[in-house]
Amino acid sequence: MSYEGEVVVITGGASGFGLGLADECAQRGMRVVVLDRDGARAEREAGALGAAHGIATFSMAVDVAVDDQVRQAAQEVAERFERVDVLVSNVGVQLFGEVERFTDAEWQWMLDVNVVGAARTVRAFLPYLRRADRPRLAFTTSSSVLSPASRLGAYQATKFAVWGLAETLRLELAGEVAVSVIFPSGMTSRHLESSTEAQPEHVRRVIGQPEDFEQMMASNPDMTTALLTPEEAAQRAVEAILAGEPYVVTHGDLVGAVSTRADALRRAAEAARTG
Ligand SMILES: NC(=O)c1ccc[n+]([C@@H]2O[C@H](COP(=O)([O-])OP(=O)(O)OC[C@H]3O[C@@H](n4cnc5c(N)ncnc54)[C@H](O)[C@@H]3O)[C@@H](O)[C@H]2O)c1
């Protein structure tokens, strides 16, 4: 299938998995829009993609926590390209810790960026997605919602919420926009660094202590130790996203966790049926 000339918009597209997806789309002749709170990095990376692949690109400094910036970006993209074929809501920030120690301000930051940020992005771009012949909308969640670990409580709660948002949109936009949920596992990205950079002053603290990482790994023996580069993960995900597949898994380590949960849920549902 040819995607040449289609317009893809990626939030958090200046680094890691988002940038890997941007590159995969550029290789397919798509026009690429990189939105990121790090505007200088977004401009540099979008320019490099344009030069390497001979495609039109656009970048903008956008914090998905700021509604005006998201709406402004949607308008500017529409003025430039008229429509959006693929929107990837990819931003996610991380903060480790025991659930009982998270403050309200930390919860509010994580929820505002990861969950409301995704909803804001969809709200702003949906009118332009609807102009495309075959619109697709994708959300980056995390393998940790399929195979959770301790010390990731706030992050996992936000990623479950994004999954719920995506499932609802799939129903509300049925027949109009294809909706994908992406579940990446561990990647060698700048995630901890960029989450630190994104922290507002009032919630500033170390993103994770060594003990958090130890507890996280110890709590989930199935957690992957075979990290992929973000480029490898993007390469594995891109065709399923462009095809509008409902679920996109990047790493091969989740079959056991998915099956165990599905079996347990089936047993619970059957127990309710049989009384
Ligand atoms: N790295 C992993 O192991 C891993 C695993 C599973 C899921 N994920 C998810 O993948 C997605 C991409 O993360 P990554 O690992 O590529 O990290 P990354 O740090 O390489 O890229 C994230 C980008 O998002 C940008 N960003 C952060 N806050 C923003 C905001 N408020 N508004 C706009 N842009 C913002 C950052 O500047 C950065 O460029 C995230 O949703 C993350 O939760 C990552």
Side-chain angles (χ1 to χ4, degrees), residues 12 14-18 35-38 41 62-65 90-93 113 140-143 155 159 184-187 189-191 194 198:
S15 174
F17 184 65
L35 306 180
D36 202 287
R37 65 176 292 285
D38 186 340
R41 185 181 282 269
V62 174
D63 185 337
V64 298
N90 171 68
V91 168
V93 287
V113 174
T140 306
T141 61
S142 167
S143 67
Y155 178 75
K159 293 295 188 178
S185 297
M187 296 180 286
S189 70
R190 300 174 52 252
H191 198 210
S194 74

Side-chain angles (χ1 to χ4, degrees), residues 37-196:
R37 65 176 292 285
D38 186 340
R41 185 181 282 269
E43 187 179 355
R44 193 170 66 242
E45 297 295 353
L49 289 178
H53 302 291
I55 50 139
T57 63
F58 177 63
S59 70
M60 214 170 135
V62 174
D63 185 337
V64 298
V66 182
D67 190 45
D68 282 352
Q69 291 183 15
V70 179
R71 284 192 293 117
Q72 181 67 31
Q75 274 168 22
E76 293 209 20
V77 170
E79 275 163 28
R80 195 166 289 247
F81 297 127
E82 291 182 357
R83 65 168 207 266
V84 174
D85 297 273
V86 183
L87 172 64
V88 185
S89 171
N90 171 68
V91 168
V93 287
Q94 177 63 277
L95 192 60
F96 288 80
E98 289 164 287
V99 170
E100 64 193 288
R101 294 189 194 280
F102 274 97
T103 65
D104 279 9
E106 289 170 347
W107 272 108
Q108 278 152 7
W109 174 56
M110 300 283 285
L111 287 162
D112 192 36
V113 174
N114 292 3
V115 185
V116 187
R120 265 183 210 113
T121 304
V122 172
R123 188 172 60 203
F125 279 92
L126 208 44
Y128 311 113
L129 262 182
R130 285 192 164 111
R131 292 182 186 171
D133 290 337
R134 206 162 65 92
R136 285 91 89 202
L137 172 59
F139 296 89
T140 306
T141 61
S142 167
S143 67
S144 65
V145 301
L146 302 176
S147 183
S150 65
R151 304 296 170 102
L152 291 174
Y155 178 75
Q156 281 164 181
T158 67
K159 293 295 188 178
F160 270 99
V162 173
W163 187 5
L165 175 70
E167 295 287 358
T168 309
L169 283 164
R170 184 175 295 130
L171 298 173
E172 292 183 358
L173 304 175
E176 248 191 308
V177 180
V179 178
S180 300
V181 188
I182 315 165
F183 301 94
S185 297
M187 296 180 286
T188 53
S189 70
R190 300 174 52 252
H191 198 210
L192 302 186
E193 191 184 331
S194 74
S195 295
T196 305

